[in-house]
Amino acid sequence: MAIRRIMIYPDPVLLSQAQAVAKITRPVRQLARDMLETMYAAPGVGLAAPQVGVRQRVIVVDVGENPVTLVNPQITTAEGKQIGLEGCLSLPQLVGEVQRSEWVVVSGLDLGGKPITVEGEGLLARAFQHEVDHLDGILFVARVQDPTCIWRTDELKASVQKEVVHI
Ligand code: ZN
């Protein structure tokens, strides 16, 4: 395993559409393992392949329950509403108040190529939505409804900074 370099905005890879993975090969499994290691080291609770410079539809998420890796993820159901602070490993200086669905169902493939479906609520649901957005070149700042609700990290009190999750 290896820690990969996290791409920082405005790197164009963060603004482009990622390609579906046609076949789960060894390099794809290696990518997913490296992404998990990179996410834990950052630290963050999610990472999408474009964040390590790879235009492929692979995400990893771990909000403290257990790691989830999804290839070609699709959000098939989204319900409810949550509003909360969100940060991104690729936009390290910014924090925004982002509205997301409270509960989602995500389908995709595991690293064995088997279809899997994962449900998430709260932070897990937020992380899935944030990561799938990355695959479509969408950053969280584009989801902030009120532009006055974007702050520089160093403007926030230390106690608030600690609460912000980076995805
Ligand atoms: Zn992000």
Side-chain angles (χ1 to χ4, degrees):
M1 296 214 289
I3 293 175
R4 301 202 186 191
R5 186 164 67 90
I6 294 178
M7 300 295 149
I8 303 294
Y9 178 83
D11 193 295
V13 72
L14 295 168
L15 303 172
S16 61
Q17 186 83 15
Q19 301 293 308
V21 174
K23 189 163 187 279
I24 298 168
T25 54
R26 248 180 90 175
V28 173
R29 288 192 292 270
Q30 185 66 51
L31 167 69
R33 282 194 295 267
D34 287 354
M35 285 168 59
L36 271 178
E37 195 179 353
T38 305
M39 176 189 81
Y40 290 129
V45 300
L47 202 64
Q51 289 181 279
V52 293
V54 178
R55 289 182 166 90
Q56 288 192 314
R57 301 187 81 83
V58 179
I59 64 169
V60 296
V61 170
D62 188 349
V63 298
E65 293 157 7
N66 47 51
V68 179
T69 298
L70 283 168
V71 176
N72 301 337
Q74 277 191 311
I75 295 174
T76 55
T77 310
E79 284 175 14
K81 193 168 90 171
Q82 56 172 316
I83 295 172
L85 291 182
E86 201 168 303
C88 177
L89 294 169
S90 297
L91 285 164
Q93 317 299 339
L94 296 176
V95 174
E97 194 173 79
V98 186
Q99 182 179 313
R100 300 280 187 185
S101 298
E102 172 62 20
W103 181 81
V104 296
V105 178
V106 192
S107 298
L109 301 174
D110 68 14
L111 289 178
K114 205 172 61 155
I116 51 169
T117 298
V118 187
E119 271 180 45
E121 68 172 334
L123 179 57
L124 183 56
R126 177 178 294 278
F128 281 137
Q129 291 165 84
H130 182 114
E131 296 315 341
V132 171
D133 270 355
H134 270 303
L135 302 181
D136 295 323
I138 299 167
L139 297 172
F140 82 83
V141 285
R143 298 285 192 197
V144 174
Q145 287 173 324
D146 176 354
T148 65
C149 292
I150 300 177
W151 300 275
R152 283 172 44 129
T153 313
D154 56 15
E155 287 176 336
L156 299 171
K157 280 193 275 180
S159 58
V160 179
Q161 279 185 34
K162 262 188 272 173
E163 278 172 32
V164 176
V165 287
H166 289 86
I167 318 181

